Coordinates of all heavy atoms in Angstrom, one line a residue:
M200 N 0.8 -1.2 0.0 CA 0.0 0.0 0.1 C 0.9 1.2 0.0 O 0.6 2.2 -0.7 CB -0.9 0.0 1.2 CG -2.0 1.0 1.1 SD -3.1 0.5 -0.2 CE -4.5 1.3 0.2
H201 N 1.9 1.2 0.7 CA 2.9 2.4 0.8 C 3.5 2.6 -0.5 O 3.6 3.8 -0.9 CB 3.9 2.1 1.9 CG 4.9 3.3 2.0 ND1 4.6 4.5 2.5 CD2 6.2 3.3 1.6 CE1 5.6 5.2 2.5 NE2 6.6 4.6 2.0
F202 N 3.8 1.6 -1.3 CA 4.4 1.8 -2.6 C 3.4 2.5 -3.6 O 3.9 3.4 -4.4 CB 4.6 0.4 -3.2 CG 5.1 0.4 -4.7 CD1 6.4 0.8 -5.0 CD2 4.3 0.1 -5.7 CE1 6.8 0.9 -6.3 CE2 4.6 0.1 -7.0 CZ 6.0 0.5 -7.3
F203 N 2.1 2.2 -3.5 CA 1.1 2.9 -4.4 C 1.0 4.3 -4.0 O 0.9 5.2 -4.9 CB -0.2 2.2 -4.4 CG -0.2 0.8 -5.0 CD1 -0.3 -0.3 -4.2 CD2 0.1 0.7 -6.3 CE1 -0.3 -1.6 -4.7 CE2 0.2 -0.6 -6.8 CZ 0.0 -1.7 -6.1
R204 N 1.1 4.7 -2.7 CA 1.0 6.1 -2.3 C 2.2 6.9 -2.8 O 2.1 8.0 -3.4 CB 0.9 6.3 -0.8 CG -0.4 6.0 -0.2 CD -0.5 6.4 1.2 NE -1.5 5.7 1.9 CZ -1.6 5.4 3.2 NH1 -0.6 5.8 3.9 NH2 -2.6 4.8 3.7
T205 N 3.4 6.3 -2.7 CA 4.5 6.9 -3.2 C 4.6 7.1 -4.7 O 4.9 8.1 -5.2 CB 5.8 6.1 -2.7 OG1 5.7 5.9 -1.4 CG2 7.1 6.8 -3.1
T206 N 4.1 6.1 -5.4 CA 4.0 6.1 -6.8 C 3.0 7.3 -7.3 O 3.3 8.0 -8.2 CB 3.5 4.8 -7.4 OG1 4.4 3.8 -6.9 CG2 3.5 4.8 -8.9
R207 N 1.8 7.4 -6.6 CA 0.9 8.4 -7.0 C 1.4 9.8 -6.6 O 1.3 10.7 -7.4 CB -0.4 8.2 -6.2 CG -1.3 7.1 -6.8 CD -2.7 7.2 -6.3 NE -2.6 6.8 -4.9 CZ -3.6 6.7 -4.1 NH1 -4.8 7.2 -4.5 NH2 -3.5 6.3 -2.9
L208 N 2.1 9.9 -5.5 CA 2.8 11.2 -5.2 C 3.8 11.6 -6.2 O 3.9 12.7 -6.7 CB 3.3 11.2 -3.8 CG 4.0 12.4 -3.3 CD1 3.0 13.6 -3.2 CD2 4.6 12.2 -1.9
L209 N 4.7 10.7 -6.5 CA 5.7 10.9 -7.5 C 5.2 11.2 -8.9 O 5.6 12.2 -9.5 CB 6.6 9.7 -7.6 CG 7.9 9.8 -8.5 CD1 8.8 11.0 -8.0 CD2 8.6 8.6 -8.6
T210 N 4.1 10.6 -9.3 CA 3.5 10.8 -10.6 C 2.9 12.3 -10.6 O 3.0 13.0 -11.6 CB 2.4 9.8 -10.8 OG1 3.0 8.6 -10.9 CG2 1.7 10.1 -12.2
F211 N 2.2 12.6 -9.5 CA 1.6 14.0 -9.3 C 2.7 15.0 -9.5 O 2.6 16.1 -10.1 CB 0.8 14.1 -8.0 CG 0.4 15.5 -7.8 CD1 -0.7 16.0 -8.5 CD2 1.0 16.3 -6.9 CE1 -1.1 17.3 -8.3 CE2 0.6 17.6 -6.6 CZ -0.5 18.1 -7.4
L212 N 3.8 14.9 -8.7 CA 4.9 15.8 -8.7 C 5.5 16.0 -10.1 O 5.9 17.1 -10.6 CB 6.0 15.5 -7.7 CG 5.5 15.6 -6.2 CD1 6.7 15.1 -5.3 CD2 5.2 17.1 -5.9
L213 N 5.7 14.9 -10.8 CA 6.3 14.9 -12.1 C 5.4 15.7 -13.1 O 5.8 16.3 -14.0 CB 6.6 13.5 -12.6 CG 7.8 12.9 -12.0 CD1 8.0 11.5 -12.4 CD2 9.1 13.7 -12.2
L214 N 4.1 15.4 -13.0 CA 3.1 16.1 -13.8 C 2.9 17.5 -13.5 O 2.7 18.4 -14.3 CB 1.7 15.3 -13.8 CG 1.7 14.0 -14.4 CD1 0.4 13.3 -14.2 CD2 2.1 14.0 -16.0
A215 N 3.0 17.9 -12.2 CA 2.8 19.3 -11.8 C 4.0 20.2 -11.8 O 4.0 21.4 -11.9 CB 2.3 19.3 -10.3
A216 N 5.2 19.6 -11.9 CA 6.5 20.3 -11.8 C 6.6 21.3 -13.0 O 7.0 22.4 -12.9 CB 7.7 19.4 -11.9
P217 N 6.3 20.9 -14.3 CA 6.5 21.9 -15.3 C 5.6 23.1 -15.2 O 5.9 24.1 -15.8 CB 6.1 21.1 -16.6 CG 6.3 19.7 -16.2 CD 6.0 19.7 -14.8
F218 N 4.5 23.0 -14.5 CA 3.6 24.1 -14.4 C 3.9 25.0 -13.2 O 3.3 26.2 -13.1 CB 2.1 23.6 -14.2 CG 1.7 22.7 -15.3 CD1 1.6 21.4 -15.2 CD2 1.5 23.3 -16.6 CE1 1.2 20.6 -16.3 CE2 1.1 22.6 -17.7 CZ 0.9 21.2 -17.5
S219 N 4.9 24.7 -12.3 CA 5.1 25.4 -11.2 C 6.6 25.9 -11.1 O 7.0 26.5 -10.1 CB 4.8 24.7 -9.9 OG 5.6 23.5 -9.8
L220 N 7.4 25.6 -12.1 CA 8.8 26.0 -12.1 C 8.9 27.4 -12.6 O 8.3 27.9 -13.5 CB 9.6 25.1 -13.0 CG 9.7 23.6 -12.6 CD1 10.4 22.8 -13.6 CD2 10.4 23.5 -11.2
P221 N 9.9 28.2 -11.9 CA 10.2 29.6 -12.4 C 10.8 29.5 -13.7 O 11.5 28.5 -14.1 CB 11.0 30.1 -11.3 CG 11.7 29.0 -10.6 CD 10.7 27.9 -10.7
A222 N 10.7 30.6 -14.5 CA 11.3 30.6 -15.9 C 12.2 31.8 -16.1 O 12.3 32.6 -15.2 CB 10.1 30.7 -16.9
Q223 N 12.8 31.9 -17.2 CA 13.6 33.0 -17.5 C 12.8 34.3 -17.5 O 11.7 34.3 -17.8 CB 14.2 32.7 -19.0 CG 15.1 33.8 -19.5 CD 16.4 33.8 -18.8 OE1 16.9 32.9 -18.4 NE2 17.0 35.0 -18.6
D224 N 13.5 35.4 -17.2 CA 12.9 36.7 -17.2 C 12.3 37.0 -18.6 O 13.1 36.9 -19.6 CB 13.9 37.7 -16.7 CG 13.3 39.1 -16.8 OD1 12.1 39.3 -16.3 OD2 14.0 40.1 -17.2
I225 N 11.1 37.3 -18.7 CA 10.4 37.5 -20.0 C 10.7 38.8 -20.7 O 10.5 38.9 -21.9 CB 8.9 37.3 -19.9 CG1 8.3 38.4 -19.0 CG2 8.6 35.9 -19.5 CD1 6.9 38.4 -19.0
H226 N 11.4 39.7 -20.0 CA 11.6 41.1 -20.6 C 12.9 41.2 -21.4 O 13.0 42.2 -22.0 CB 11.5 42.1 -19.5 CG 10.1 42.2 -18.9 ND1 9.0 42.5 -19.6 CD2 9.7 41.9 -17.7 CE1 8.0 42.4 -18.8 NE2 8.4 42.1 -17.6
F227 N 13.8 40.3 -21.3 CA 15.0 40.3 -22.1 C 14.7 39.5 -23.4 O 14.5 38.3 -23.3 CB 16.2 39.8 -21.4 CG 16.7 40.7 -20.4 CD1 17.1 40.3 -19.1 CD2 16.9 42.1 -20.7 CE1 17.6 41.1 -18.2 CE2 17.4 42.9 -19.7 CZ 17.8 42.5 -18.5
S228 N 14.7 40.1 -24.5 CA 14.4 39.4 -25.8 C 15.6 38.7 -26.4 O 15.5 37.7 -27.1 CB 13.7 40.3 -26.8 OG 14.6 41.4 -27.1
Q229 N 16.8 39.2 -26.2 CA 18.0 38.6 -26.7 C 18.7 37.9 -25.6 O 19.7 38.4 -25.0 CB 18.9 39.7 -27.3 CG 18.2 40.3 -28.5 CD 19.1 41.4 -29.2 OE1 20.1 41.7 -28.8 NE2 18.6 41.9 -30.3
L230 N 18.4 36.7 -25.3 CA 18.8 35.9 -24.2 C 20.3 35.6 -24.4 O 21.1 35.4 -23.4 CB 18.0 34.6 -24.0 CG 16.6 34.9 -23.6 CD1 15.9 33.5 -23.5 CD2 16.5 35.6 -22.3
L231 N 20.8 35.5 -25.6 CA 22.2 35.1 -25.7 C 23.1 36.3 -25.3 O 24.4 36.1 -25.2 CB 22.5 34.8 -27.2 CG 21.8 33.5 -27.7 CD1 22.1 33.2 -29.1 CD2 22.2 32.3 -26.8
E232 N 22.6 37.5 -25.2 CA 23.4 38.6 -24.7 C 23.4 38.7 -23.2 O 23.9 39.7 -22.7 CB 22.8 40.0 -25.3 CG 22.8 39.9 -26.8 CD 24.3 39.7 -27.4 OE1 25.2 40.2 -26.9 OE2 24.4 39.0 -28.5
A233 N 22.8 37.8 -22.5 CA 22.7 37.8 -21.0 C 23.1 36.3 -20.6 O 22.3 35.6 -20.1 CB 21.4 38.1 -20.5
P234 N 24.4 35.9 -20.8 CA 24.7 34.5 -20.6 C 24.5 34.0 -19.2 O 24.3 32.8 -18.9 CB 26.1 34.4 -21.1 CG 26.7 35.8 -21.1 CD 25.5 36.7 -21.3
L235 N 24.8 34.9 -18.2 CA 24.6 34.4 -16.8 C 23.2 34.3 -16.4 O 22.9 33.4 -15.5 CB 25.4 35.4 -15.8 CG 26.9 35.4 -16.0 CD1 27.5 36.2 -14.9 CD2 27.5 34.0 -15.9
L236 N 22.3 35.0 -17.0 CA 20.8 34.8 -16.7 C 20.4 33.7 -17.5 O 19.4 32.9 -17.0 CB 20.1 36.1 -17.1 CG 20.2 37.3 -16.3 CD1 19.4 38.5 -16.9 CD2 19.8 37.0 -14.9
L237 N 20.9 33.4 -18.6 CA 20.5 32.2 -19.4 C 20.9 31.0 -18.7 O 20.1 30.0 -18.6 CB 21.1 32.2 -20.8 CG 20.8 31.1 -21.7 CD1 19.3 31.1 -22.0 CD2 21.6 31.2 -23.0
N238 N 22.2 30.9 -18.2 CA 22.7 29.7 -17.5 C 23.8 30.1 -16.6 O 24.9 30.5 -17.2 CB 23.1 28.6 -18.5 CG 23.5 27.4 -17.8 OD1 23.6 27.3 -16.6 ND2 23.9 26.3 -18.7
P239 N 23.7 30.1 -15.3 CA 24.8 30.4 -14.4 C 26.1 29.7 -14.6 O 27.2 30.2 -14.3 CB 24.3 30.2 -13.0 CG 22.8 30.2 -13.2 CD 22.6 29.7 -14.5
A240 N 26.0 28.5 -15.3 CA 27.2 27.8 -15.5 C 28.1 28.4 -16.6 O 29.2 28.0 -16.8 CB 26.9 26.3 -15.9
N241 N 27.6 29.4 -17.3 CA 28.4 30.1 -18.3 C 29.4 31.0 -17.6 O 30.2 31.7 -18.4 CB 27.5 30.9 -19.2 CG 26.7 30.1 -20.2 OD1 27.2 29.1 -20.6 ND2 25.5 30.5 -20.5
A242 N 29.5 31.2 -16.3 CA 30.4 32.1 -15.7 C 31.9 31.6 -16.0 O 32.2 30.4 -15.6 CB 30.2 32.1 -14.2
G243 N 32.7 32.5 -16.5 CA 34.1 32.1 -16.8 C 34.3 31.3 -18.1 O 35.4 31.1 -18.4
F244 N 33.3 31.1 -18.8 CA 33.4 30.3 -20.1 C 33.5 31.2 -21.2 O 32.5 31.4 -22.0 CB 32.3 29.3 -20.2 CG 32.5 28.2 -21.2 CD1 33.4 27.2 -21.1 CD2 31.7 28.3 -22.3 CE1 33.6 26.3 -22.1 CE2 31.9 27.3 -23.4 CZ 32.8 26.3 -23.2
Y245 N 34.5 31.8 -21.5 CA 34.8 32.7 -22.6 C 36.3 33.0 -22.8 O 37.1 32.6 -21.8 CB 34.0 34.0 -22.4 CG 34.4 34.8 -21.2 CD1 35.4 35.7 -21.3 CD2 33.9 34.5 -19.9 CE1 35.8 36.4 -20.1 CE2 34.2 35.2 -18.9 CZ 35.2 36.1 -18.9 OH 35.6 36.8 -17.8
D246 N 36.7 33.6 -23.8 CA 38.1 33.9 -24.0 C 38.3 35.3 -23.5 O 37.7 36.3 -24.0 CB 38.5 33.9 -25.5 CG 38.4 32.5 -26.1 OD1 38.6 31.6 -25.3 OD2 38.1 32.3 -27.3
G247 N 39.1 35.5 -22.4 CA 39.3 36.8 -21.9 C 39.6 36.7 -20.4 O 39.6 35.6 -19.8
Y248 N 39.7 37.9 -19.8 CA 40.1 37.9 -18.3 C 38.8 38.3 -17.5 O 38.7 37.8 -16.4 CB 41.2 38.9 -18.1 CG 42.5 38.5 -18.7 CD1 43.0 39.2 -19.8 CD2 43.2 37.4 -18.3 CE1 44.2 38.8 -20.4 CE2 44.3 37.0 -18.9 CZ 44.9 37.7 -20.0 OH 46.0 37.3 -20.5
H249 N 38.0 39.3 -18.0 CA 36.9 39.8 -17.3 C 35.8 40.0 -18.3 O 36.1 40.2 -19.5 CB 37.1 41.1 -16.6 CG 38.2 41.0 -15.6 ND1 38.0 40.6 -14.3 CD2 39.6 41.4 -15.7 CE1 39.2 40.7 -13.7 NE2 40.2 41.2 -14.5
R250 N 34.5 39.9 -17.8 CA 33.4 40.1 -18.8 C 32.4 40.9 -17.9 O 31.9 40.5 -16.9 CB 32.8 38.8 -19.3 CG 31.6 39.1 -20.1 CD 31.1 37.8 -20.9 NE 30.8 36.7 -20.0 CZ 30.5 35.5 -20.5 NH1 30.3 35.3 -21.7 NH2 30.2 34.5 -19.6
V251 N 32.0 42.1 -18.5 CA 30.9 42.9 -17.9 C 29.8 43.1 -18.9 O 30.2 43.4 -20.1 CB 31.5 44.3 -17.4 CG1 30.4 45.2 -16.9 CG2 32.6 44.2 -16.4
I252 N 28.6 42.8 -18.6 CA 27.5 42.9 -19.5 C 26.5 43.8 -18.8 O 26.0 43.6 -17.6 CB 26.9 41.5 -19.8 CG1 28.0 40.7 -20.6 CG2 25.7 41.7 -20.6 CD1 27.6 39.3 -20.8
L253 N 26.0 44.8 -19.6 CA 24.9 45.7 -19.1 C 23.8 45.5 -20.2 O 24.0 45.6 -21.4 CB 25.3 47.1 -19.0 CG 26.4 47.4 -18.1 CD1 26.9 48.9 -18.2 CD2 25.9 47.2 -16.6
N254 N 22.5 45.3 -19.8 CA 21.4 45.1 -20.6 C 20.3 46.1 -20.1 O 20.1 46.3 -18.9 CB 20.8 43.7 -20.6 CG 21.7 42.7 -21.1 OD1 22.4 43.0 -22.1 ND2 21.8 41.5 -20.6
Y255 N 19.7 46.8 -21.1 CA 18.6 47.6 -20.7 C 17.5 47.4 -21.8 O 17.8 47.3 -23.0 CB 19.0 49.1 -20.8 CG 17.9 50.0 -20.6 CD1 17.4 50.3 -19.3 CD2 17.3 50.8 -21.6 CE1 16.3 51.2 -19.1 CE2 16.3 51.6 -21.4 CZ 15.8 51.8 -20.2 OH 14.7 52.7 -20.0
K256 N 16.2 47.4 -21.3 CA 15.1 47.3 -22.3 C 13.9 48.0 -21.7 O 13.6 47.9 -20.5 CB 14.8 45.8 -22.5 CG 13.6 45.7 -23.5 CD 13.3 44.2 -23.8 CE 12.2 44.2 -24.8 NZ 11.8 42.9 -25.1
N257 N 13.3 48.8 -22.5 CA 12.0 49.3 -22.1 C 11.0 48.9 -23.2 O 11.3 48.8 -24.3 CB 12.0 50.8 -21.9 CG 12.3 51.5 -23.2 OD1 12.8 50.9 -24.2 ND2 12.2 52.9 -23.2
Q258 N 9.8 48.6 -22.8 CA 8.8 48.2 -23.7 C 7.5 48.8 -23.3 O 7.2 49.2 -22.2 CB 8.7 46.7 -23.7 CG 8.2 46.0 -22.4 CD 8.2 44.5 -22.6 OE1 8.8 44.0 -23.5 NE2 7.5 43.8 -21.8
W259 N 6.6 48.9 -24.3 CA 5.3 49.5 -24.2 C 5.3 51.0 -23.7 O 4.6 51.4 -22.8 CB 4.4 48.7 -23.2 CG 4.2 47.3 -23.6 CD1 4.4 46.7 -24.9 CD2 3.7 46.3 -22.8 NE1 4.1 45.4 -24.8 CE2 3.7 45.1 -23.6 CE3 3.3 46.1 -21.4 CZ2 3.2 43.8 -23.1 CZ3 2.9 44.9 -21.0 CH2 2.9 43.8 -21.8
A260 N 6.2 51.7 -24.3 CA 6.4 53.1 -23.9 C 5.2 53.9 -24.3 O 4.9 55.0 -23.6 CB 7.7 53.7 -24.6
S261 N 4.5 53.5 -25.3 CA 3.2 54.4 -25.7 C 2.1 54.1 -24.7 O 1.1 54.8 -24.8 CB 2.9 54.0 -27.1 OG 2.5 52.6 -27.2
M262 N 2.2 53.2 -23.8 CA 1.1 52.9 -22.9 C 1.1 53.8 -21.7 O 0.2 53.7 -20.9 CB 1.1 51.4 -22.5 CG 1.0 50.5 -23.6 SD -0.5 50.7 -24.5 CE -1.7 49.9 -23.5
G263 N 2.0 54.7 -21.5 CA 2.0 55.6 -20.4 C 3.0 55.2 -19.2 O 3.6 56.1 -18.7
N264 N 3.0 54.0 -18.8 CA 3.8 53.5 -17.7 C 4.6 52.3 -18.2 O 4.2 51.2 -17.9 CB 3.0 53.2 -16.5 CG 3.8 53.0 -15.3 OD1 5.0 53.3 -15.3 ND2 3.3 52.5 -14.2
P265 N 5.7 52.5 -19.0 CA 6.4 51.4 -19.6 C 7.2 50.6 -18.6 O 7.5 51.0 -17.5 CB 7.3 52.1 -20.6 CG 7.6 53.3 -20.0 CD 6.4 53.7 -19.3
Y266 N 7.4 49.3 -19.0 CA 8.3 48.4 -18.3 C 9.7 48.8 -18.6 O 10.1 49.2 -19.7 CB 8.2 46.9 -18.7 CG 6.9 46.3 -18.2 CD1 5.9 46.0 -19.0 CD2 6.8 45.9 -16.9 CE1 4.7 45.4 -18.6 CE2 5.7 45.2 -16.4 CZ 4.7 45.0 -17.3 OH 3.5 44.4 -16.8
K267 N 10.6 48.9 -17.5 CA 12.0 49.1 -17.7 C 12.7 48.1 -17.0 O 12.5 47.8 -15.8 CB 12.3 50.5 -17.1 CG 11.7 51.7 -17.8 CD 12.0 53.0 -17.2 CE 11.3 54.1 -17.9 NZ 11.5 55.4 -17.2
T268 N 13.6 47.4 -17.7 CA 14.4 46.3 -17.2 C 15.8 46.6 -17.4 O 16.3 46.9 -18.5 CB 14.0 45.0 -17.9 OG1 12.6 44.8 -17.8 CG2 14.7 43.8 -17.2
L269 N 16.6 46.6 -16.3 CA 18.0 46.8 -16.3 C 18.7 45.5 -15.8 O 18.3 45.0 -14.7 CB 18.4 48.0 -15.4 CG 19.8 48.3 -15.2 CD1 20.5 48.7 -16.6 CD2 20.1 49.3 -14.2
G270 N 19.7 45.0 -16.4 CA 20.4 43.8 -16.0 C 21.9 44.1 -16.1 O 22.4 44.8 -17.0
A271 N 22.6 43.6 -15.1 CA 24.1 43.7 -15.1 C 24.7 42.4 -14.6 O 24.1 41.7 -13.7 CB 24.5 44.8 -14.2
S272 N 25.8 42.0 -15.2 CA 26.5 40.8 -14.8 C 28.0 41.0 -15.0 O 28.4 41.8 -15.8 CB 26.0 39.6 -15.5 OG 26.3 39.7 -16.9
Y273 N 28.7 40.3 -14.1 CA 30.2 40.3 -14.2 C 30.7 38.9 -13.8 O 30.2 38.3 -13.0 CB 30.7 41.3 -13.1 CG 32.2 41.2 -13.0 CD1 33.1 41.8 -13.9 CD2 32.8 40.5 -11.9 CE1 34.4 41.7 -13.7 CE2 34.2 40.4 -11.7 CZ 35.0 41.1 -12.6 OH 36.3 41.0 -12.5
D274 N 31.6 38.5 -14.6 CA 32.2 37.1 -14.4 C 33.6 37.1 -14.9 O 34.1 37.9 -15.6 CB 31.4 36.0 -15.0 CG 31.3 36.0 -16.5 OD1 31.2 37.1 -17.1 OD2 31.4 35.0 -17.1
L275 N 34.4 36.1 -14.3 CA 35.8 35.9 -14.6 C 36.2 34.4 -14.5 O 35.6 33.8 -13.7 CB 36.7 36.8 -13.8 CG 36.8 36.5 -12.3 CD1 38.2 36.9 -11.8 CD2 35.8 37.2 -11.6
P276 N 37.1 34.0 -15.3 CA 37.6 32.6 -15.1 C 38.6 32.6 -14.0 O 39.4 33.4 -13.8 CB 38.3 32.3 -16.5 CG 38.6 33.7 -17.0 CD 37.6 34.6 -16.5
L277 N 38.5 31.5 -13.2 CA 39.4 31.3 -12.0 C 40.5 30.4 -12.4 O 41.6 30.6 -12.0 CB 38.6 30.9 -10.8 CG 37.7 31.8 -10.2 CD1 36.9 31.2 -9.0 CD2 38.3 33.1 -9.8
M278 N 40.2 29.3 -13.0 CA 41.2 28.3 -13.3 C 41.0 27.9 -14.8 O 39.9 27.6 -15.2 CB 41.0 27.0 -12.5 CG 41.2 27.2 -11.0 SD 40.7 25.7 -10.2 CE 42.0 25.6 -9.0
G279 N 42.1 27.8 -15.5 CA 42.0 27.4 -17.0 C 42.0 25.9 -17.1 O 42.8 25.3 -16.4
G280 N 41.3 25.5 -18.1 CA 41.4 24.1 -18.5 C 42.3 23.9 -19.7 O 43.1 24.8 -20.0
K281 N 42.1 22.9 -20.4 CA 42.9 22.7 -21.6 C 42.4 23.7 -22.7 O 41.2 23.9 -22.9 CB 42.8 21.2 -22.1 CG 43.4 20.2 -21.2 CD 43.3 18.9 -21.7 CE 43.9 17.8 -20.8 NZ 43.7 16.5 -21.3
G282 N 43.3 24.3 -23.4 CA 42.9 25.2 -24.4 C 42.6 26.5 -23.8 O 43.2 26.9 -22.7
D283 N 41.8 27.4 -24.4 CA 41.5 28.7 -23.9 C 40.3 28.8 -23.0 O 40.0 29.9 -22.6 CB 41.3 29.6 -25.1 CG 42.5 29.8 -26.0 OD1 43.7 29.7 -25.4 OD2 42.4 30.0 -27.2
H284 N 39.6 27.7 -22.8 CA 38.3 27.8 -22.0 C 38.6 27.5 -20.5 O 39.4 26.7 -20.1 CB 37.3 26.8 -22.5 CG 36.9 27.1 -24.0 ND1 36.2 28.2 -24.3 CD2 37.2 26.4 -25.1 CE1 36.0 28.2 -25.6 NE2 36.6 27.1 -26.1
A285 N 37.9 28.2 -19.7 CA 38.0 28.0 -18.2 C 37.1 26.9 -17.8 O 36.0 26.6 -18.4 CB 37.7 29.2 -17.5
Y286 N 37.5 26.2 -16.8 CA 36.5 25.2 -16.3 C 36.1 25.5 -14.9 O 35.3 24.8 -14.3 CB 37.2 23.7 -16.3 CG 38.4 23.6 -15.4 CD1 38.3 23.2 -14.1 CD2 39.6 23.6 -15.9 CE1 39.3 23.1 -13.3 CE2 40.8 23.5 -15.1 CZ 40.6 23.2 -13.8 OH 41.7 23.0 -13.0
L287 N 36.5 26.6 -14.4 CA 36.0 27.1 -13.1 C 35.9 28.6 -13.2 O 36.8 29.3 -13.6 CB 36.8 26.7 -11.9 CG 36.4 27.2 -10.6 CD1 35.0 26.5 -10.3 CD2 37.4 26.7 -9.5
G288 N 34.8 29.2 -12.9 CA 34.6 30.6 -13.1 C 33.8 31.2 -11.9 O 33.1 30.4 -11.1
L289 N 33.8 32.5 -11.7 CA 33.0 33.2 -10.7 C 32.2 34.3 -11.3 O 32.8 35.0 -12.1 CB 34.0 33.7 -9.6 CG 33.4 34.5 -8.4 CD1 32.6 33.5 -7.5 CD2 34.5 35.1 -7.6
G290 N 31.0 34.5 -10.9 CA 30.2 35.5 -11.5 C 29.1 36.0 -10.6 O 28.8 35.3 -9.7
A291 N 28.6 37.2 -10.9 CA 27.5 37.8 -10.2 C 26.5 38.4 -11.2 O 27.0 39.0 -12.2 CB 28.0 38.8 -9.2
S292 N 25.3 38.3 -10.9 CA 24.3 38.8 -11.8 C 23.2 39.5 -11.1 O 22.8 39.0 -10.0 CB 23.7 37.7 -12.7 OG 22.8 38.2 -13.7
M293 N 22.6 40.6 -11.6 CA 21.4 41.2 -11.0 C 20.6 41.9 -12.0 O 21.1 42.2 -13.1 CB 21.9 42.2 -9.9 CG 22.7 43.4 -10.5 SD 23.1 44.6 -9.2 CE 22.5 46.0 -10.0
F294 N 19.3 42.0 -11.8 CA 18.5 42.8 -12.6 C 17.4 43.4 -11.8 O 17.0 43.0 -10.8 CB 17.9 41.9 -13.8 CG 17.0 40.8 -13.4 CD1 15.6 41.1 -13.4 CD2 17.4 39.6 -13.1 CE1 14.7 40.1 -13.1 CE2 16.5 38.6 -12.7 CZ 15.2 38.9 -12.7
K295 N 16.9 44.5 -12.4 CA 15.8 45.2 -11.8 C 14.7 45.4 -12.8 O 15.0 45.8 -13.9 CB 16.3 46.7 -11.3 CG 15.3 47.5 -10.6 CD 15.8 48.8 -10.2 CE 14.7 49.6 -9.5 NZ 15.3 50.9 -9.1
D296 N 13.5 45.1 -12.4 CA 12.4 45.2 -13.3 C 11.4 46.2 -12.7 O 10.9 46.0 -11.6 CB 11.7 43.9 -13.5 CG 10.8 43.8 -14.7 OD1 10.9 44.7 -15.5 OD2 10.0 42.9 -14.7
K297 N 11.1 47.3 -13.4 CA 10.3 48.3 -12.9 C 9.0 48.5 -13.8 O 9.3 48.7 -15.0 CB 11.0 49.6 -12.7 CG 10.3 50.7 -12.1 CD 11.1 51.9 -11.9 CE 10.4 53.0 -11.2 NZ 11.1 54.3 -11.1

């Protein structure tokens, strides 16, 4: 009996999970220009020493009270792997949606 309860609970969670998970911020339309918001594992994965990214978007300006979204991120590679790519990086990201 315990097995059937666990199975039903697991089935419910698997079916309900896609409807309750948070998603990417909808106000940035060019997601490839915000790599740390797209995937935090992208920190340090580039050719260079430091990376600073600033994103700004306003939409629906003709409606009177437009959305304004500002995003900023900074990351750097800590340890290099084989080739030019880092395999360990550190980064920070923030955004403000008004």
Side-chain angles (χ1 to χ4, degrees):
M200 194 67 160
H201 180 67
F202 173 76
F203 292 114
R204 282 189 200 158
T205 306
T206 305
R207 279 193 291 174
L208 178 63
L209 184 60
T210 303
F211 173 76
L212 290 176
L213 288 174
L214 292 175
F218 301 108
S219 63
L220 294 176
Q223 177 72 33
D224 180 41
I225 61 172
H226 297 296
F227 287 132
S228 58
Q229 296 180 354
L230 296 178
L231 295 178
E232 301 302 322
L235 292 184
L236 288 176
L237 180 64
N238 185 355
N241 286 329
F244 192 69
Y245 59 93
D246 295 330
Y248 297 109
H249 302 276
R250 177 169 58 181
V251 177
I252 297 175
L253 299 173
N254 293 323
Y255 175 78
K256 182 177 181 182
N257 64 348
Q258 65 182 19
W259 301 343
S261 64
M262 299 301 286
N264 192 11
Y266 286 106
K267 294 178 185 175
T268 305
L269 175 68
S272 64
Y273 171 77
D274 65 318
L275 69 152
L277 294 178
M278 300 171 135
K281 294 182 180 178
D283 294 330
H284 298 292
Y286 64 84
L287 182 62
L289 179 68
S292 181
M293 63 178 232
F294 68 94
K295 180 180 180 182
D296 195 18
K297 186 176 180 184

